[in-house]
Amino acid sequence: MTDRRHEEVLRVLSAGLRRGEWDVPCTAAISRARVRLGPESLRELFDRVCHPVATAETAGAWYRRWRLVALDGTALEVPDTEANAEYFGRARSDRGAGAFPQVRAVLLAECGTHVVFGAALGPFTVSEVALAERLWGRLEPGMLVLADRNFPAFPRWRAAKARGADLL
């Protein structure tokens, strides 16, 4: 997210406040506050706020009695710092290491709304399957989890069923 997006979000959120009651902080203040909060506070905020939101009328969110959710992984580039390279690692090929360190991310998203309600992040060297193990607790009864060929296996089906969900 660019710094301008942070400021725009805060501008919209504060639009109802009277002038002089509260001013939109500068970009540096937003970044410093995020560092002060640390990752645990942001993770707790995500866990409390991010959840499926589809209603019965939401197109593409349901199949018969199931709420459709998707499980998949990706890699995201992070700033090229020594700390990021050491912790997250870089993709490698026969031509050498990638230009940027990469975070491995596995996400649970509600189909129809595209709301991400579960996220597991780790070093690039950690497999998607290993990260997905952290997400089974986000499943609820009545969900149908759509996952690609990387995820099907009896232990994962059993983990989904233990939460009342089904795995496809």
Side-chain angles (χ1 to χ4, degrees):
M1 181 174 279
T2 67
D3 294 337
R4 288 180 180 246
R5 288 188 191 158
H6 285 107
E7 289 176 358
E8 178 64 11
V9 168
L10 284 171
R11 187 190 64 72
V12 170
L13 289 174
S14 64
L17 299 175
R18 287 186 297 248
R19 226 6 160 179
E21 191 175 301
W22 191 77
D23 291 322
V24 176
C26 68
T27 301
I30 296 168
S31 296
R32 285 192 300 269
R34 191 173 52 220
V35 169
R36 280 194 315 273
L37 282 172
E40 290 305 318
S41 296
L42 295 175
R43 184 175 295 120
E44 183 175 338
L45 178 64
F46 177 89
D47 288 343
R48 286 185 183 195
V49 172
C50 297
H51 55 84
V53 297
T55 66
E57 293 79 33
T58 305
W62 302 91
Y63 176 72
R64 296 188 182 175
R65 65 177 177 87
W66 291 285
R67 177 187 299 271
L68 297 176
V69 299
L71 173 72
D72 205 359
T74 190
L76 306 168
E77 292 180 344
V78 293
D80 189 12
T81 66
E82 194 172 310
N84 281 345
E86 185 177 319
Y87 182 78
F88 293 113
R90 298 173 190 268
R92 297 195 172 278
S93 71
D94 56 352
R95 294 181 286 176
F100 292 93
Q102 292 188 331
V103 174
R104 174 86 63 207
V106 177
L107 308 172
L108 266 173
E110 181 179 52
C111 299
T113 65
H114 301 201
V115 167
V116 174
F117 66 96
L121 308 174
F124 183 73
T125 55
V126 175
S127 74
E128 290 180 4
V129 172
L131 288 172
E133 296 301 319
R134 301 181 197 169
L135 298 177
W136 299 121
R138 303 291 293 190
L139 299 178
E140 298 174 2
M143 288 182 170
L144 179 60
V145 184
L146 308 175
D148 64 26
R149 65 184 179 163
N150 194 30
F151 297 102
F154 183 69
R156 284 172 271 300
W157 180 83
R158 191 171 57 198
K161 287 304 283 181
R163 299 291 301 171
D166 292 294
L167 180 62
L168 177 64

